[in-house]
Amino acid sequence: MKTVSAPPKTYRVKSFGCQMNVYDGERMAELLGERGIQPAPEGEEADLVILNTCHIREKAAEKVYSDIGRLVKAGEEAGKKPLIAVAGCVAQAEGEEIMARAPAVSIVVGPQAYHRLPEMLDRAANGERATDTDMPAIAKFDALPARRKRGPSAFLTVQEGCDKFCTYCVVPYTRGAEISRPFAHLITEAQKLVEAGAKEITLLGQNVNAWAGEDDKGAGVGLAGLIHALARIDGLERIRYTTSHPNDMDEALIAAHGEVAKLMPYLHLPVQAGNDRILKAMNRQHTAESYLRLLEQFRAVRPDIALSGDFIVGFPGETEAEFEDTLRIVDEVRYAHAFSFKYSPRPGTPAATMDGQIAPELMDERLQRLQARIAQHQYAFNQDSVGKSCSVLVERTGRHPGQWLGKSPWLQSVWFEGDHAIGDLVEVTLAEAGPNSLRGLVAALV
Ligand code: SAH
Ligand code: SF4
Ligand code: F3S
């Protein structure tokens, strides 16, 4: 039976997963804002809740169902029925299943279709349930409204999708094929972000270094060309990019790290594993050695570059000796930071049906060993930074009055005291290191 309901007045967007989902969440919020729908006040149930989901690992994907249950319950307690929309990668991968399993959900919208959210809201107000998981050739960005003011550090999606098909990964299925947004659109969006107060922009893409386009003179350029052009925007002080794939690196991007002062000395370059048999089974199409050689090239042009990576432990068939190769590569690279995960079999991916699935307890044990090793290197990197002077971009207030928190060029969290404001770039000397943050002394006070 159809029930016609009042259009929502307030919304909440909950984004899970990667930074691209955070970016998409912001853009959906902007779309709703254009329609006069306001963010729900803190502590109040929203009329419309968008769960912007992640499908990368089983735990992340299951979260959506528990969240829907919680929302329905909270709504009942508050005497209202929230309009629930499921967006993001679970929506893309399991849209029909969500509609069947969760009658409380009115809208299912995939990551390439959310610009059509307003029409879907109209249909939902008419009591219809709507699913849109089309993957049009990137009409989305053209249909989105202008950027709104946010913090001093902003995300900008430049590339989406993945053609790599690593055997464990759902991204090529949930985000579709690789596409690059046009150069001119990106320059305009970056200018708007800077006008709205951004000092730092992080360029996002599932394979951000696969970005390719034509610059304002019609010349073919890669990510390095885009970075050079962005660096010419007055008021933009810092540029970052994530996530890169080793096989999409080119000479120009490596060189840019030595040429563009605004490009921060930080590189997130996942390797996933340190053993070549495992890398092959993962279909990574690079070896441990070729990865290490690539990092040497970055270190040659930017010796202080902070390196970061992603790792998977317990890929099907991984032996103890093969796992130890992962520990070895971690020691060799001395990462400033890294993410590590237990392998999670994802429906429809080749690895999910491979022989030699690893027992959960063994994965736990390997993950603990790997994380301990990564933590050692992160702490050592922070300790080695003590005594350096650098700029910190103030992102928020600290725990105590007069304290500020921000990021160093190497993406470390730095706290310090003084008379500052969010968005300031403050010169500090790094005075003391902890495992996860550093204390800075403001240069004038040193
Ligand atoms: N495009 C990026 C990252 C994609 S997802 C890249 O290739 O580097 C982020 C990370 O999640 C991956 O780098 C990988 O470490 C992890 N991941 C992806 N699929 C996974 C799975 N099935 N199980 C466990 N971790 C996974
Ligand atoms: Fe997934 Fe591999 Fe593509 Fe990264 S490169 S998104 S891990 S398939
Ligand atoms: Fe997750 Fe989709 Fe990002 S699966 S990691 S939200 S691309």
Side-chain angles (χ1 to χ4, degrees), residues 167-441:
T167 52
Y168 50 82
C169 184
V170 291
V171 171
Y173 312 99
T174 62
R175 292 275 169 170
E178 288 179 4
I179 58 103
S180 295
R181 293 181 64 193
F183 179 91
H185 294 199
L186 295 171
I187 299 292
T188 307
E189 189 168 330
Q191 278 163 342
K192 292 269 153 54
L193 286 167
V194 172
E195 280 162 26
K199 297 266 176 69
E200 172 176 277
I201 292 183
T202 302
L203 309 176
L204 299 180
Q206 264 93 24
N207 287 297
V208 70
N209 58 336
W211 183 88
E214 275 182 12
D215 69 8
D216 42 356
K217 294 175 195 74
V221 285
L223 191 66
L226 180 63
I227 288 171
H228 277 282
L230 290 170
R232 289 193 283 272
I233 297 178
D234 279 342
L236 178 60
E237 306 293 347
R238 290 174 157 198
I239 302 169
R240 301 181 183 278
Y241 61 93
T242 197
T243 297
S244 300
H245 192 285
N247 295 358
D248 289 324
M249 276 303 171
D250 63 8
E251 296 290 328
L253 188 54
I254 298 169
H257 278 273
E259 295 162 353
V260 182
K262 290 181 181 181
L263 182 58
M264 292 294 103
Y266 188 94
L267 175 68
H268 181 70
L269 192 65
V271 65
Q272 313 296 354
N275 176 273
D276 287 345
R277 191 192 72 84
I278 295 292
L279 287 172
K280 193 154 195 285
M282 287 177 160
N283 189 32
R284 288 290 298 182
Q285 309 209 28
H286 58 74
T287 62
E289 190 53 38
S290 67
Y291 173 83
L292 289 170
R293 275 204 306 273
L294 192 54
L295 294 187
E296 272 169 28
Q297 290 180 270
F298 279 90
R299 280 189 161 140
V301 295
R302 190 71 211 227
D304 70 333
I305 197 162
L307 298 170
S308 159
D310 290 348
F311 293 93
I312 296 176
V313 301
F315 185 81
E318 184 188 66
T319 64
E320 169 64 22
E322 287 165 342
F323 166 67
E324 284 170 12
D325 286 342
T326 295
L327 295 178
R328 203 162 301 130
I329 206 168
V330 167
D331 287 343
E332 199 144 337
V333 175
R334 291 170 281 116
Y335 289 95
H337 188 253
F339 298 98
S340 47
F341 311 99
K342 282 183 274 187
Y343 167 72
S344 172
R346 309 305 298 124
T349 60
T353 49
M354 283 181 188
D355 290 340
Q357 302 284 327
I358 306 287
E361 306 75 47
L362 189 53
M363 280 207 249
D364 282 332
E365 188 243 348
R366 287 182 185 167
L367 186 68
Q368 273 179 24
R369 285 161 67 197
L370 175 59
Q371 291 189 333
R373 196 67 68 93
I374 291 168
Q376 276 174 14
H377 289 291
Q378 181 175 320
Y379 196 10
F381 185 87
N382 288 349
Q383 285 169 324
D384 287 349
S385 306
V386 171
K388 282 187 183 172
S389 295
C390 65
S391 69
V392 174
L393 178 60
V394 183
E395 289 179 8
R396 52 193 174 94
T397 52
R399 226 175 292 160
H400 304 290
Q403 259 187 14
W404 301 92
L405 259 174
K407 292 279 164 45
S408 76
W410 307 282
L411 211 62
Q412 297 148 301
S413 290
V414 179
W415 65 271
F416 53 94
E417 286 163 1
D419 187 13
H420 307 290
I422 289 172
D424 285 354
L425 270 166
V426 181
E427 279 298 311
V428 306
T429 298
L430 299 173
E432 216 180 303
N436 299 310
S437 65
L438 292 111
R439 184 166 72 95
L441 291 175

